[in-house]
Amino acid sequence: MRHKILVVDDVQTNLDLLEGILEDTYDVVAVDSGAKALEILPDAKPDLILLDLSMPEMDGFELLESIRRNKHYESIPVIFVTGSDDVYSEEKGLRLGAVDYITKPYVPSVIRIKIHNHAELKTYRDNLEAAVAKRTKELEERAQEIYEAHNVTIMGMSMVSESHDKITGAHLFRIKNLTGILATHFAKKYPQILSKKTAEIITMYSPLHDIGKASVPDAVLKKQGKLTDEEFDQMKAHTKDGANLLRELAKMSPNERKPLKIAIEIAESHHEKFNGRGYPDRLAGEEIPLSARIVAIVDIYDALRSPRPYKPGFTHAEAMDIILNGDGRTEPTHFDPRVLDAFRDMQADLGAAYDANPDPQIANSDTL
């Protein structure tokens, strides 16, 4: 491949001389001013620029500064031409980003060697950057595949755990979408408390909130009347059972221990209440992990909106009123005030997300 060299010099004799030295080996584009050089750069796309520093109007220093300020041209190596005793120009040109210099009078062999070395170096660098970019893209695609597979696994585990309950896959997808809306907004509103990355992890693992229900007897899960104290204790145990299952998974997945810690927090504490009256540990305030505080309010909202065999579903406005103002069973004091504020901020988006994915089993059946 022949490299393209842009030669910039206001003296035509110098242009002719340099072109004569280089034209057998390179494609040479010669211009007699800095302004013309800038004008043709987008189309010329040179591999190297040979630049005279002493030119009228726009001198070589100004052109060099312009080249280095433009991200499209900053990687083009520039070799400048200077007088043999012009130490000041040499120092300034190198400081502005030139890679080398050639002194007058011209020595053709030196010019060819320097241009060859820097042109080849640029080719190597360009090829390396292309290879790195290609490998980076491959790794990103692989990471995305792993991420998607991870998400499918999480959703599959969640659906299996709830398959014997009157809960549909739509509920799990809604929990994830609703959690994503709330957690993302909370991270933007309180970046000092929650990072964007952690918000993404909370969202990913939110469908596992009730994974412990797999250990609850069907008779308890499907009971339409009020639970006895013993049955309620069995129901409450799903928080600890789910967390313990995830702890066992964490032991087998050292690389996933940190994100699984968040999954464990959600499973174990999403029924805790900010006022300390929840279960299983009656945690209060910030004793409750933030991940669980976020999923808790989303889970309540979804439960209020969703029709069940033993109750109708509330409208978005009714569910918001219950959460924000209370109804005797659900009270604002159950929720972290900051999470509640973020929830209020995003109420329109949350309502739309629920409406976009209703429970098909219940919506399409009169028997449930």
Side-chain angles (χ1 to χ4, degrees):
M1 181 189 77
R2 285 170 65 93
H3 293 101
K4 182 181 290 185
I5 311 298
L6 173 61
V7 181
V8 188
D9 196 311
D10 64 309
V11 178
Q12 187 61 46
T13 303
N14 290 336
L15 290 176
D16 293 340
L17 182 57
L18 290 169
E19 191 168 3
I21 293 172
L22 301 172
E23 63 183 356
D24 288 343
T25 309
Y26 303 100
D27 294 328
V28 181
V29 178
V31 295
D32 60 6
S33 72
K36 289 181 181 178
L38 287 177
E39 183 180 345
I40 70 165
L41 267 174
D43 295 324
K45 297 183 177 63
D47 297 300
L48 184 144
I49 299 172
L50 192 56
L51 173 62
D52 182 37
L53 292 178
S54 300
M55 296 186 294
E57 298 178 7
M58 177 186 289
D59 65 19
F61 296 118
E62 294 174 277
L63 177 57
L64 184 53
E65 287 181 311
S66 296
I67 292 170
R68 287 294 172 256
R69 283 197 302 266
N70 191 311
K71 66 179 181 180
H72 299 294
Y73 312 139
E74 62 183 358
S75 65
I76 301 174
V78 176
I79 298 177
F80 63 86
V81 178
T82 182
S84 59
D85 58 351
D86 190 356
V87 177
Y88 167 77
S89 294
E90 291 177 15
E91 188 271 336
K92 184 176 180 180
L94 292 170
R95 182 159 30 87
L96 289 175
V99 298
D100 208 338
Y101 63 91
I102 293 171
T103 57
K104 296 178 182 177
Y106 298 138
V107 179
S109 60
V110 172
I111 293 174
R112 292 190 187 99
I113 290 171
K114 289 194 173 188
I115 288 179
H116 170 79
N117 289 345
H118 288 291
E120 289 300 311
L121 181 61
K122 182 179 186 298
T123 298
Y124 173 79
R125 186 171 62 244
D126 289 346
N127 290 340
L128 181 61
E129 289 175 356
V132 169
K134 180 182 178 182
R135 184 56 178 159
T136 299
K137 183 180 179 181
E138 292 172 349
L139 291 174
E140 288 174 348
E141 290 173 350
R142 179 57 180 154
Q144 183 63 28
E145 291 173 359
I146 293 172
Y147 175 81
E148 291 172 0
H150 196 55
N151 271 307
V152 169
T153 300
I154 290 170
M155 192 61 67
M157 289 174 61
S158 303
M159 293 180 72
V160 168
S161 71
E162 301 203 34
S163 61
H164 60 165
D165 193 2
K166 293 289 187 179
I167 300 295
T168 70
H171 161 71
L172 298 172
F173 284 106
R174 284 197 307 268
I175 290 293
K176 184 174 182 179
N177 291 338
L178 296 171
T179 299
I181 292 169
L182 181 56
T184 299
H185 177 65
F186 190 93
K188 290 179 181 177
K189 190 168 186 175
Y190 303 105
Q192 71 280 13
I193 300 175
L194 181 65
S195 69
K196 179 182 177 183
K197 179 61 177 177
T198 302
E200 292 173 353
I201 295 173
I202 293 171
T203 301
M204 177 188 296
Y205 285 107
S206 59
L208 292 173
H209 64 296
D210 278 338
I211 191 171
K213 281 187 175 180
S215 64
V216 180
D218 283 359
V220 175
L221 280 176
K222 297 178 181 180
K223 185 174 181 178
Q224 297 188 23
K226 184 177 180 180
L227 299 178
T228 66
D229 288 346
E230 181 182 355
E231 289 169 337
F232 189 49
D233 286 341
Q234 290 178 302
M235 179 66 79
K236 288 191 293 185
H238 83 275
T239 55
K240 290 292 187 182
D241 290 342
N244 289 335
L245 172 61
L246 293 172
R247 286 190 180 96
E248 291 302 313
L249 290 177
K251 291 178 183 178
M252 295 183 284
S253 308
N255 293 333
E256 291 294 320
R257 283 178 184 172
K258 187 173 182 180
L260 277 173
K261 179 177 181 293
I262 291 176
I264 293 166
E265 293 171 351
I266 292 170
E268 191 161 42
S269 302
H270 69 284
H271 282 293
E272 300 287 2
K273 297 177 180 177
F274 205 71
N275 62 3
R277 297 183 179 180
Y279 66 85
D281 297 315
R282 299 186 70 84
L283 301 178
E286 295 190 5
E287 292 177 338
I288 307 167
L290 178 57
S291 57
R293 283 179 261 156
I294 290 172
V295 174
I297 194 169
V298 163
D299 194 33
I300 291 293
Y301 173 79
D302 190 81
L304 289 170
R305 292 290 316 271
S306 300
R308 292 292 177 258
Y310 49 85
K311 77 168 186 71
F314 290 103
T315 66
H316 171 70
E318 290 169 336
M320 291 301 303
D321 182 63
I322 290 171
I323 290 172
L324 297 176
N325 301 308
D327 69 347
R329 294 182 61 187
T330 300
E331 297 294 334
T333 55
H334 294 173
F335 310 110
D336 179 339
R338 288 171 298 195
V339 175
L340 192 62
D341 283 344
F343 188 83
R344 182 186 291 107
D345 292 344
M346 301 305 293
Q347 58 181 293
D349 289 348
L350 293 165
Y354 182 94
D355 293 337
N357 196 16
D359 280 318
Q361 282 185 315
I362 294 171
N364 299 332
S365 175
D366 296 328
T367 62
L368 292 178

